[in-house]
Amino acid sequence: MFIKAHCSVCGTDVYHNIRLHALEHLNFEGEGQACRYAVESIEVADTLTEEELVRNVLQGLARIIHDGIEVKVLAGILKENYGITGICCRELIERIQLELDMYCPDRKRLYFVDPEEPGEKESFF
């Protein structure tokens, strides 16, 4: 899963792809049962800048992102397929909007901005 961190050397935001190794302990208490997890180790598998992460995600989503895609659906894809966590997911979607020149008027769906070609602007004068 990716988590956002602040680099203490260069001061930029970076994303760490971490792997958690946990042990599951089952506790039986009467009729109910409960699980406990003990973190055995945390490993940083990779570190990417925001630009690198956005570029990698956009390459993978090239065929999935379409005009009118729901923000909820895109967030689910980012969480499930890329392991991007909650707040990071929101920030990444905002970055995708900027990179792909999209807007979100109802905060539910993303739409592509149709670029206007020179000479096609309507004149209001």
Side-chain angles (χ1 to χ4, degrees), residues 27-45:
N27 293 331
F28 297 99
E29 299 173 8
E31 293 179 21
Q33 65 179 1
C35 288
R36 283 187 172 176
Y37 294 93
V39 175
E40 190 175 84
S41 67
I42 299 174
E43 173 188 347
V44 176

Side-chain angles (χ1 to χ4, degrees), residues 59-70:
Q59 287 174 351
L61 296 177
R63 295 182 182 180
I64 295 172
I65 294 182
H66 57 83
D67 200 32
I69 188 169
E70 289 186 31

Side-chain angles (χ1 to χ4, degrees), residues 94-111:
E94 289 174 5
R95 185 66 191 263
I96 288 170
Q97 280 183 254
L98 292 173
E99 293 291 324
L100 296 180
D101 204 19
M102 299 180 89
Y103 67 102
C104 188
D106 58 1
R107 296 185 183 214
K108 293 182 181 182
R109 295 182 182 273
L110 295 172
Y111 300 96

